[in-house]
Amino acid sequence: MTNPFHDPDTLAFYDREAVAYANRRTTVSRALFDFLARVAPGGRILELGCGGGQDAAAMLAEGFEVDATDGSPGLAAQAERRIGRPVRVMLFEELEAQDAYDAVWANASLLHVPLGGLAAILARVRRALKPGGTFYAGYKAGDGDGRDGLGRFFNFPTEAALRAAYEAAGPWGELEVRSGPGGGYDREPRLWLHMIATR
Ligand code: SAM
C-alpha cells in the first residue's frame, strides 16, 4: 500500500457499492445512544466515515449538531440524501479542526486505517475535540493489517495494538475498551473492540 493512511481500493469499493451499502440498514446501534448520553444536549458532533448517514440522521433527530463526513463521494451523496444536509467529502488525514467538537463518532470507519498510520489519525481526532470531549470508534479485532473476503483493507488490531496507538496519540483523560461479538457487510462474525476516549 502506498498511502500510510488509507487504501484507495477500499474507498473505491465503497464508491462502487454506495447505493447498496447505504441502504443495508435502517437501525442504529445501542452504542450510539450510550455515546450520546455522554454528550451535552445540542452538542457539536463530528462523524468520521458516516456511510449512508443512518447514525447522522439519528443524532440530528436527538437534537445534536452533526458535521457528517466520509471519504467516499458516492457514500457522502447517499448520506446527504438521507439527512437532507450537506455531507463533507473528507479523508481522515484531511481533518484539520482544533478544539472544535464536543464529541467524535467513528462507527466502523477508522478500522480501515493501516495500523502504522492510526496513531497520527487519532492525534488529529484528539486535536479536533474540545478538552473533555468524547470520542467513540469501533474496530474489528484480529492479528494485524489484512483484507476481508470482499477485498476491503482493515487494521484488525489486537487490544494491545489499539491501546498502543491511542497512547501514542494521547494523553487521553479516559480510555475504555469494550469487546463483543458483531458482524459486517461481509456477513462474517467477528470480535469487535469498542474504544471510548475522552480528551
Ligand atoms: N459509519 C458507517 C456505518 O456504521 O454504517 C459506515 C461504516 S463503513 C464500514 C466505513 C466507512 O468509512 C465508509 O463509509 C467509507 O467510505 C469510510 N472510509 C473508509 N476509509 C476512509 C478514509 N480514509 N477517510 C474517510 N472515510 C473513509
Side-chain angles (χ1 to χ4, degrees):
M1 191 181 310
T2 50
N3 188 296
F5 303 118
H6 74 263
D7 173 49
D9 292 344
T10 300
L11 283 164
F13 170 91
Y14 284 111
D15 247 8
R16 257 193 334 268
E17 295 273 321
V19 174
Y21 193 84
N23 292 301
R24 83 195 189 287
R25 69 169 167 105
T26 52
T27 56
V28 296
S29 67
R30 166 80 196 276
L32 177 63
F33 292 99
D34 290 348
F35 164 81
L36 293 178
R38 304 171 63 124
V39 187
R44 185 166 185 232
I45 301 174
L46 169 67
E47 183 170 16
L48 294 173
C50 68
Q54 288 89 348
D55 293 346
M59 292 190 275
L60 288 164
E62 292 291 317
F64 294 94
E65 188 187 329
V66 181
D67 183 7
T69 67
D70 200 283
S72 152
L75 272 172
Q78 290 296 314
E80 274 191 359
R81 284 172 54 129
R82 178 165 276 118
I83 70 174
R85 293 164 194 245
V87 171
R88 287 195 292 139
V89 177
M90 187 190 79
L91 295 169
F92 306 136
E93 66 259 38
E94 294 170 339
L95 176 61
E96 299 288 351
Q98 298 191 23
D99 304 324
Y101 298 98
D102 298 296
V104 177
W105 175 251
N107 188 49
S109 56
L110 296 179
L111 42 55
H112 291 306
V113 178
L115 264 184
L118 186 59
I121 299 295
L122 296 173
R124 285 179 180 270
V125 174
R126 183 180 172 280
R127 185 181 65 179
L129 282 169
K130 296 176 187 169
T134 300
F135 165 38
Y136 167 87
Y139 303 84
K140 292 183 179 188
D143 56 7
D145 290 348
R147 292 187 188 271
D148 71 359
L150 300 173
R152 296 177 300 173
F153 178 91
F154 287 83
N155 46 32
F156 292 137
T158 60
E159 182 176 330
L162 209 46
R163 280 188 183 277
Y166 274 72
E167 277 157 19
W172 303 95
E174 186 189 320
L175 189 57
E176 185 188 329
V177 191
R178 294 182 195 163
S179 61
Y185 195 54
D186 63 356
R187 298 178 184 275
E188 285 294 319
R190 309 253 345 175
L191 180 71
W192 282 74
L193 297 171
H194 306 278
M195 299 293 286
I196 298 159
T198 59
R199 178 173 172 187

